[in-house]
Amino acid sequence: RKVEDSETVFLDYVFRRRIGAGSVLRYELQTSLDMSPNSWTTSGYVELPPTATGDPDFEEIIGRIDTSEAPQKFMRVVVETP
């Protein structure tokens, strides 16, 4: 989603992350300038504090990028079992 403040436009990538004792998943937010296979990195964004979803097993995570840093930027979340 697009978020604007007085001078900057941000892109927020919003996803739900499972929490609690039953969670065995690892979540990794990644960014890329061109989506080529070796271009994905775990830097280039700010993760905002988690928020409640109303479901005790999940929390909402927001990764935010500043759109002024590059003409285009992509985000994804990789979910894996450890």
Side-chain angles (χ1 to χ4, degrees), residues 36-52:
S36 62
N38 294 324
S39 70
W40 293 97
T41 180
T42 57
S43 63
Y45 70 92
V46 174
E47 186 173 306
L48 303 180
T51 56

Side-chain angles (χ1 to χ4, degrees), residues 66-79:
D66 181 343
T67 60
S68 68
E69 295 175 356
Q72 70 179 16
K73 201 166 199 181
F74 302 92
M75 298 177 79
R76 71 180 182 185
V77 64
V78 176
V79 182

